[in-house]
Amino acid sequence: MKKIIFAVIGLLMGITVQAWAFEIVATVNDEVISDYDVDMRLKMMQVLMKTPVTEQASRQVLDTLILEKVKKHEAAAKGIALEDGDIQDGLSYLEKQNGMEPGSLQKILKEEGVSFDTLENQITADLLWLKVLRSENEKPPVVTDREVNERIEEIKKEMMKPAYLLAEIYLPFGADQTAAEKQAQSLFERVVNGEVFPELAAQFSKGKTASAGGDLGWVPAGSLEKAVDDILPQMEPGQMSKPVKGKEGYYLILMRDKQKALTSTDVEAWSIAQFLLPKGQVKLVAEQLAKTDGNPQAFTSLAMKEGLKGSGLMPEMPVPRMPDQLYDLLKDAPMKKIVGPIDAEDFDLFLMKCDRRTVSVLPKAEMVKKQLEMEKMEQKSEEMLQELKKKAVIERK
């Protein structure tokens, strides 16, 4: 395998003060991707997304880096470039989306020994490709009213089923079904003994979700094969199944959360305020708190002034989608009356049902239209990238 040398040359007498040798792992139109590039991207993913470093993850990172080269080459061919401030805007957007303070990403990467160029290169490729797509598609994809209505009906049908937030480890039978069963049992015992399910999924699962730590997302009842679907109603959040024998392999299923089936998409929703107090401080605010009973605005104001972070008005919650523990605390509580103190692990909690109304849990038509537009753009993007990959000279070492 060919090596490339990066050297830092001393300013005095031409002395080489430090050098590194990296392997070339791929070229795209004669532009090099090294094992250093792959390692840095893997390390960044490990730091920011807790992605385990596995052989499969390495292959996927290399595929991503190849696509980024293809995106950049197409942008250059079309004379498309970034403007001053584009990368910083992209970085700021990422930090905002993840609830991070400005400058946090760069600081975290520096502390973990990850070159900031790694993130900058990814942002650059994504922003350039977005501009390429816009240059090719000046108008949003056409989405008809019929398509929107059909998607809303599909969503409505799914809401009438129970739903489960799941993660999986999938081990196909292969040539030795007994070996697959033994491996499934071994992984089950490793999780029981404290190992992390997503890390084991990333390392051992052969399913399509392995790179995401086995994350299946929200799955409506009836979506998985029968052997798995049959066990889901009996499982509780946080519970892991024993190995389940499917048609072609064994599954380990982690139930992360679950939702009951709806009988209607028009449901009651509660507006709830919460007041989180450090342990031992209830007496200090007891007199002020008593005065807010029956007055949601005063209760919310006091909570935001005196409470811990997170105190105040919570997002409106449809009752059927409310966590069971919260519903049990409030189901019999009168409107606008204080409930508490409730003993939590690190704080004392007071709650108040401030208001209630009937809402539709179906997404609005405009939101569905935008989602369909995005899906069509993603499909167009994938088609364009596949064509560009065919034309590019790509060589894996």
Side-chain angles (χ1 to χ4, degrees):
M1 196 177 288
K2 188 177 179 182
K3 290 188 177 181
I4 48 177
I5 307 294
F6 294 90
V8 178
I9 308 298
L11 295 179
L12 296 176
M13 301 177 66
I15 299 173
T16 300
V17 295
Q18 190 172 5
W20 302 268
F22 301 133
E23 302 284 356
I24 296 175
V25 294
T27 57
V28 181
N29 296 335
D30 293 328
E31 191 170 347
V32 164
I33 299 173
S34 72
D35 59 350
Y36 172 82
D37 300 320
V38 173
D39 290 344
M40 278 292 104
R41 184 64 65 89
L42 279 169
K43 190 170 183 181
M44 183 179 78
M45 291 170 60
Q46 192 177 23
V47 169
L48 298 180
M49 297 182 287
K50 312 303 180 188
T51 303
V53 176
T54 64
E55 185 177 342
Q56 184 176 0
S58 297
R59 288 195 300 269
Q60 289 175 337
V61 162
L62 180 55
D63 289 341
T64 299
L65 292 174
I66 288 172
L67 279 179
E68 288 176 6
K69 295 289 187 189
V70 171
K71 291 175 180 179
K72 289 180 178 180
H73 290 161
E74 180 64 8
K78 289 182 174 294
I80 293 173
L82 298 183
E83 299 176 2
D84 291 343
D86 280 352
I87 292 176
Q88 184 56 50
D89 289 345
L91 182 61
S92 298
Y93 176 80
L94 283 177
E95 289 173 334
K96 186 175 180 180
Q97 287 292 101
N98 289 279
M100 303 170 75
E101 295 294 325
S104 297
L105 277 173
Q106 195 163 0
K107 182 180 178 182
I108 290 170
L109 294 178
K110 184 177 180 181
E111 289 173 350
E112 297 294 335
V114 179
S115 169
F116 182 68
D117 288 346
T118 305
L119 178 58
E120 189 173 39
N121 287 335
Q122 180 181 338
I123 293 172
T124 299
D126 289 342
L127 292 178
L128 285 171
W129 185 242
L130 184 59
K131 290 193 175 191
V132 170
L133 289 174
R134 287 174 177 168
S135 73
E136 292 283 326
N137 306 274
E138 294 182 3
K139 296 181 179 180
V142 175
V143 175
T144 65
D145 290 342
R146 180 178 178 179
E147 289 176 305
V148 171
N149 292 333
E150 286 176 350
R151 176 59 63 87
I152 290 175
E153 281 303 310
E154 289 173 7
I155 294 171
K156 186 174 181 178
K157 287 179 182 178
E158 296 302 324
M159 285 182 169
M160 297 302 173
K161 303 175 184 177
Y164 309 98
L165 185 60
L166 304 176
E168 65 169 357
I169 295 175
Y170 176 63
L171 303 169
F173 295 146
D176 190 344
Q177 182 174 328
T178 302
E181 182 180 12
K182 288 181 178 178
Q183 185 181 22
Q185 184 62 37
S186 172
L187 291 173
F188 172 81
E189 291 169 1
R190 287 173 68 172
V191 176
V192 169
N193 290 327
E195 294 194 52
V196 180
F197 189 99
E199 292 182 2
L200 292 177
Q203 187 173 355
F204 295 104
S205 179
K206 303 304 180 185
K208 294 179 180 179
T209 61
S211 61
D215 181 17
L216 278 165
W218 281 102
V219 178
S223 300
L224 303 176
E225 68 169 285
K226 189 175 185 305
V228 176
D229 206 58
D230 285 347
I231 68 168
L232 299 179
Q234 288 75 46
M235 294 181 67
E236 295 299 328
Q239 184 180 354
M240 179 184 61
S241 72
K242 292 182 178 180
V244 178
K245 184 179 179 181
K247 293 179 180 179
E248 298 180 1
Y250 283 95
Y251 295 87
L252 291 174
I253 300 295
L254 177 64
M255 176 72 71
R256 296 160 57 201
D257 202 355
K258 62 195 302 185
Q259 293 178 343
K260 300 183 180 76
L262 297 180
T263 56
S264 170
T265 54
D266 293 325
V267 301
E268 182 173 303
W270 295 345
S271 176
I272 302 167
Q274 62 178 0
F275 188 176
L276 291 73
L277 272 170
K279 287 289 187 182
Q281 293 193 18
V282 173
K283 290 182 179 180
L284 300 178
V285 298
E287 186 175 343
Q288 291 174 277
L289 187 61
K291 293 178 181 178
T292 70
D293 201 28
N295 187 335
Q297 187 174 355
F299 177 83
T300 303
S301 296
L302 181 65
M304 294 178 68
K305 180 182 177 183
E306 301 291 345
L308 297 169
K309 185 177 180 180
S311 296
L313 196 62
M314 301 165 66
E316 187 176 61
M317 290 190 186
V319 173
R321 294 291 183 247
M322 192 174 293
D324 289 343
Q325 189 175 11
L326 181 60
Y327 175 74
D328 289 341
L329 288 169
L330 293 174
K331 62 182 179 181
D332 298 323
M335 294 297 298
K336 303 181 182 181
K337 300 297 289 183
I338 296 173
V339 176
I342 300 156
D343 185 22
E345 185 175 348
D346 299 320
F347 54 85
D348 289 307
L349 173 66
F350 294 89
L351 297 167
M352 181 183 287
K353 281 171 25 183
C354 302
D355 195 10
R356 64 183 171 198
R357 66 189 183 101
T358 299
V359 300
S360 173
V361 292
L362 286 173
K364 296 187 181 298
E366 187 61 32
M367 185 184 299
V368 173
K369 183 179 180 180
K370 289 186 181 299
Q371 179 62 38
L372 288 169
E373 288 176 351
M374 188 179 301
E375 289 175 11
K376 290 190 175 187
M377 282 297 293
E378 288 173 352
Q379 182 179 350
K380 177 68 174 176
S381 171
E382 183 61 28
E383 291 170 356
M384 288 175 61
L385 281 172
Q386 291 306 316
E387 285 300 313
L388 291 171
K389 279 181 68 178
K390 290 177 184 178
K391 296 176 184 177
V393 180
I394 299 171
E395 183 179 357
R396 298 170 188 261
K397 304 299 182 179

